[in-house]
Amino acid sequence: MEFIKVKNYDEMSEKACEILVDRMSKLQQPVIGLATGSTPEGLYKLLIDKYKKGELDFSNTVTFNLDEYVGLDDDDPNSYHYFMNDKLFNHINIPAENIHVPSGVAENIQQECLDYESAMKVAGQIDVQLLGIGQNGHIGFNEPGTAFDSRTHLVDLDESTIQTNARFFDSIEDVPTKAVSMGIGTILESKEVLMVISGASKQEAVKHLLSGEITEDVPASALHKHPNVTVIVDEAAWGDN
Ligand code: PGA
């Protein structure tokens, strides 16, 4: 696991953009795993800028998002599919059929999970998986205690995650309690992982990652088992580590 320490959120976004664009430029059909949340928003803005300047082409890019809330459809402004359309997909030339976000409203969620795994297999492995990290160390919606060999699955969100994400909803009662998420095993199969971490609220999670301890209590610690992980951390998240 390689750590890159940067000054602030903007530098984190720029560094992540530089790495992602470099990898995309080397691949005929990049398969990119994408994440939602506040952390990657700056990166998505930079990718849009590059596309608008004619420096980046998404026509051959295939994407797979990490997760989606159960019960929210694509048009719901709080769904992750909506977030991705709004923050990235609507502004670039990615073909709609190349975009994959798990459905949170599938009639049969178990089948949806299996289908999502199959779609990833058909596309080939994910070349670069972008990840944020939860304050509790979650990756995707894999909460503490999730098995490291888990595949795309239905998850019960941690109370702490529900509280953290309530800021996006009118009230905490509106926050879904379940989600579909790629599993930790799924994430570990990507060829490369690019993690972005910003802000003082992530100091505990960073401390744990730096300790090198591998435990299911901190889902992101599974990444120590992966051979190609870059973690970009800003000073606020780094703290006194
Ligand atoms: P954040 O979410 O980027 O909004 O902090 C990260 C996560 O929960 O994985």
Side-chain angles (χ1 to χ4, degrees):
M1 185 177 285
E2 185 197 352
F3 288 89
I4 300 176
K5 195 172 163 189
V6 293
K7 208 167 176 43
N8 53 31
Y9 183 85
D10 288 346
E11 270 191 25
M12 177 202 71
S13 304
E14 276 158 27
K15 190 71 201 166
C17 183
E18 184 189 310
I19 292 173
L20 196 56
V21 169
D22 171 72
R23 304 307 188 264
M24 286 176 66
S25 71
K26 293 176 174 144
L27 295 161
Q28 289 230 316
Q29 192 190 59
V31 183
I32 309 294
L34 295 175
T36 51
S38 311
T39 318
E41 273 192 57
L43 162 63
Y44 295 155
K45 282 203 181 100
L46 294 173
L47 293 175
I48 293 167
D49 283 352
K50 284 201 173 288
Y51 164 69
K52 290 198 165 147
K53 285 189 199 146
E55 295 168 10
L56 196 54
D57 172 34
F58 291 88
S59 57
N60 287 323
T61 301
V62 174
T63 64
F64 285 90
N65 263 82
L66 281 168
D67 45 17
E68 179 61 283
Y69 287 118
V70 166
L72 304 191
D73 66 28
D74 300 0
D75 297 332
D76 188 306
N78 279 313
S79 75
Y80 283 171
H81 204 138
Y82 186 99
F83 174 100
M84 290 306 303
N85 287 340
D86 187 40
K87 306 291 183 195
L88 183 64
F89 299 144
N90 285 348
H91 312 284
I92 58 174
N93 66 333
I94 186 166
E97 63 272 21
N98 290 10
I99 294 170
H100 303 85
V101 182
S103 168
V105 292
E107 250 174 60
N108 184 338
I109 293 281
Q110 302 302 345
Q111 190 59 47
E112 172 65 14
C113 294
L114 293 173
D115 292 348
Y116 205 63
E117 288 280 336
S118 303
M120 280 183 263
K121 280 216 174 68
V122 169
Q125 271 174 290
I126 288 180
D127 292 300
V128 185
Q129 175 66 58
L130 177 68
L131 292 178
I133 189 169
Q135 291 175 30
N136 65 0
H138 73 202
I139 47 176
F141 269 138
N142 295 290
E143 302 286 23
T146 306
F148 284 175
D149 63 356
S150 49
R151 313 299 313 185
T152 301
H153 59 145
L154 176 65
V155 301
D156 288 315
L157 298 180
D158 254 21
E159 191 49 41
S160 66
T161 299
I162 292 171
Q163 288 192 5
T164 306
N165 290 0
R167 68 190 192 277
F168 299 111
F169 293 80
D170 289 339
S171 81
I172 194 156
E173 286 76 39
D174 294 336
V175 186
T177 56
K178 291 181 188 296
V180 177
S181 178
M182 277 188 205
I184 296 177
T186 320
I187 291 168
L188 290 177
E189 268 176 20
S190 54
K191 292 180 197 158
E192 179 171 1
V193 172
L194 181 60
M195 177 174 260
V196 282
I197 314 183
S198 171
S201 67
K202 305 289 172 69
Q203 278 180 20
E204 269 308 302
V206 171
K207 190 193 230 33
H208 202 283
L209 278 187
L210 287 168
S211 79
E213 189 198 359
I214 300 177
T215 165
E216 284 185 359
D217 293 341
V218 183
S221 70
L223 298 172
H224 288 296
K225 294 169 171 281
H226 191 289
N228 191 359
V229 178
T230 304
V231 185
I232 308 172
V233 187
D234 75 2
E235 281 177 5
W238 194 276
D240 316 324
N241 286 300

